[in-house]
Amino acid sequence: NAGVTQTPKFQVLKTGQSMTLQCAQDMNHNSMYWYRQDPGMGLRLIYYSASEGTTDKGEVPNGYNVSRLNKREFSLRLESAAPSQTSVYFCASTTRGRGYGYTFGSGTRLTVV
Amino acid sequence: GIQVEQSPPDLILQEGANSTLRCNFSDSVNNLQWFHQNPWGQLINLFYIPSGTKQNGRLSATTVATERYSLLYISSSQTTDSGVYFCAVGAYTGTASKLTFGTGTRLQVTL
């Protein structure tokens, strides 16, 4: 099925470990986004990529890095995980131009102990 | 940054009832979307509605951009409508539009 695919769905890390969250879309979308969702706080933007080859910081970028590998893939890396990064991470994409809504992946639930 | 407030924070309805969810935002926007997060955590886009009115089945939405609010109407609610409804707003910069989310309205529809 067409859409946004995130892997893994669940992950437990120890403090200080690193990992990469993967996101891929097959809708030929230009823009891709990483959000985190914490209880009672809605979703907050971590990083985004307006188009292939560009990335920019969002509201809460500290502790994260991103790579827009190609038009389809946008990965999020935690270099040294901290308990404060325990959250649910969502990737989203949208096409160029106005009038189009976001399509979200199913999320990655990350626990840092 | 832009502030987004949603009300009410929680809502319990009996099946068949109607409801109105409200979203207020603090600045001019040209991108406003409504999402439903189901009990399994999946986020579904309901409407892209920076202005005007749209309808999709039992759901409709109205945005009055000049007064900085949007309303989501749910008619004849069903148990499958349960979940959290998010309003998200933003402004385009080039080809991207960063969205700022409200904290959501949690809806529970009971039999």
Side-chain angles (χ1 to χ4, degrees):
Chain A
N1 292 334
V4 179
T5 302
Q6 291 185 237
T7 56
K9 294 190 184 304
F10 302 94
Q11 184 71 49
V12 178
L13 289 179
K14 293 182 179 180
T15 297
Q17 287 185 320
S18 62
M19 78 162 295
T20 299
L21 281 65
Q22 306 287 353
C23 174
Q25 53 88 12
D26 59 4
M27 299 171 286
N28 201 35
H29 283 174
N30 299 99
S31 303
M32 299 184 73
Y33 308 80
W34 277 105
Y35 283 84
R36 60 178 288 174
Q37 183 177 26
D38 302 301
M41 298 188 72
L43 282 78
R44 292 181 293 167
L45 181 64
I46 305 171
Y47 270 94
Y48 69 102
S49 170
S51 59
E52 185 179 355
T54 69
T55 60
D56 284 289
K57 295 179 180 179
E59 180 185 355
V60 288
N62 291 344
Y64 305 95
N65 285 301
V66 291
S67 295
R68 183 75 183 266
L69 304 171
N70 46 56
K71 191 172 185 179
R72 293 185 63 248
E73 298 172 289
F74 188 37
S75 62
L76 178 71
R77 182 161 179 85
L78 288 70
E79 291 291 352
S80 179
S84 60
Q85 294 178 303
T86 294
S87 188
V88 181
Y89 291 85
F90 287 96
C91 177
S93 69
T94 189
T95 193
R96 185 186 301 272
R98 305 184 182 194
Y100 300 94
Y102 277 24
T103 299
F104 275 95
S106 58
T108 295
R109 185 174 295 275
L110 175 67
T111 301
V112 183
V113 298
Chain B
I2 193 166
Q3 304 298 313
V4 184
E5 294 183 0
Q6 292 187 242
S7 60
D10 296 280
L11 187 58
I12 300 175
L13 297 175
Q14 274 199 320
E15 197 171 42
N18 303 327
S19 62
T20 300
L21 282 58
R22 187 176 179 100
C23 171
N24 294 329
F25 45 95
S26 62
D27 206 347
S28 298
V29 300
N30 54 24
N31 188 352
L32 189 148
Q33 301 181 34
W34 283 96
F35 297 88
H36 176 222
Q37 187 169 38
N38 65 26
W40 297 271
Q42 181 67 39
L43 284 156
I44 305 298
N45 192 294
L46 299 175
F47 292 104
Y48 171 89
I49 185 166
S51 64
T53 297
K54 289 187 178 180
Q55 181 160 3
N56 184 1
R58 296 181 296 103
L59 301 181
S60 64
T62 295
T63 298
V64 183
T66 54
E67 298 187 21
R68 300 181 184 171
Y69 74 89
S70 183
L71 302 174
L72 178 69
Y73 304 96
I74 304 174
S75 64
S76 303
S77 58
Q78 301 175 359
T79 56
T80 52
D81 295 331
S82 296
V84 183
Y85 289 81
F86 289 103
C87 169
V89 304
Y92 284 91
T93 54
T95 58
S97 181
K98 302 179 292 182
L99 291 179
T100 298
F101 282 73
T103 54
T105 292
R106 184 175 299 276
L107 173 65
Q108 182 180 353
V109 181
T110 62
L111 293 172

